[in-house]
Every structure is written in structure tokens, then in C-alpha cells.
Amino acid sequence: RPQRLAHNHNNATMSLRPSTAPPIQDMPPPGGYKKLDFGRYLPDRGPKGWQLWAGATTLILYGYYQVGKTNQAKIQQKMQERKVRYALAPLMQAEADREYMERELVGLRKEAEVMKGA
């Protein structure tokens, strides 16, 4: 006897009526299924694990080497700038002193003129 869908308009869900017949189970063919050669379907592709580790380690070490080289270059550049600054410091100080003396002389002249009128 075929199973029928239960028509219950009050309930929103549908279900099959239970059957008293035993369940039918699919079985393998006599002698079993033929064996699959997984090696044939899964070819050896891509690098091996140790090759991935070696490549990643090499790239990371090369990156650290480049960072070190860049840091050394920056240190050398800063040293050059510092040497130039140290070499120019006396000249800049002399210029600042000369400008200071000019301002002082202008101030003293104004002061003398003001005091002359007093």
C-alpha cells in the first residue's frame, strides 16, 4: 500500500504516515564494489611540506636582511646629516651673533637718541 501525505489544514507541517512494512536498505552488489585507485585520481601536485617550510623560511630571512640593510642605510644618512650640521654649526652661530649685534646696535642708537632728547 503506498504512503500518502497527511492533509492537515490546521497544521502548517506535512509528514508521511508511518508504515508497518520493514525499511528497504540498499546493499552493495554481490562481491562488493570495485576498488578505486586513489593514487590515480589524486596526482602528486604542488611542493612537499618541507619545501614550503624552506621557501617560507628563505623569504622571511631575506625580508629581515632587507630590513637590516635599509636600517643601516638610514643610520648612515642620519650620520651624514649630523656631520653636516656639526660642520655648519659655528657658521650658523656666527651669523646669529652678527644679527644679534646689529639688533643691539639699533636698540642702543634708539636709546641714545631718546636719552639725548631727555
Side-chain angles (χ1 to χ4, degrees):
R1 140 179 168 198
Q3 293 182 350
R4 296 183 188 189
L5 293 176
H7 294 286
N8 186 354
H9 296 292
N10 295 337
N11 194 353
T13 61
M14 300 175 82
S15 65
L16 296 176
R17 291 185 183 200
S19 174
T20 57
I24 299 172
Q25 183 172 353
D26 289 336
M27 297 300 289
Y33 295 106
K34 67 178 186 175
K35 299 291 181 197
L36 291 177
D37 182 15
F38 287 106
R40 184 175 141 204
Y41 298 109
L42 299 173
D44 214 17
R45 65 175 204 238
K48 295 177 173 55
W50 69 267
Q51 292 170 328
L52 290 173
W53 276 98
T57 302
T58 302
L59 285 175
I60 290 170
L61 290 176
Y62 178 72
Y64 279 125
Y65 170 73
Q66 288 296 326
V67 167
K69 261 179 44 175
T70 302
N71 287 345
Q72 290 295 326
K74 284 182 182 179
I75 289 170
Q76 288 294 329
Q77 179 67 26
K78 284 183 182 180
M79 185 66 77
Q80 290 290 334
E81 290 172 6
R82 196 174 295 133
K83 285 181 180 179
V84 167
R85 198 175 312 126
Y86 290 163
L88 290 177
L91 299 174
M92 298 301 286
Q93 187 63 51
E95 181 69 18
D97 290 347
R98 188 185 64 75
E99 289 173 0
Y100 170 78
M101 288 307 295
E102 280 182 18
R103 285 194 306 272
E104 276 297 308
L105 287 174
V106 168
L108 287 173
R109 284 189 198 125
K110 282 184 182 177
E111 183 180 344
E113 204 167 304
V114 168
M115 295 304 282
K116 188 192 248 185

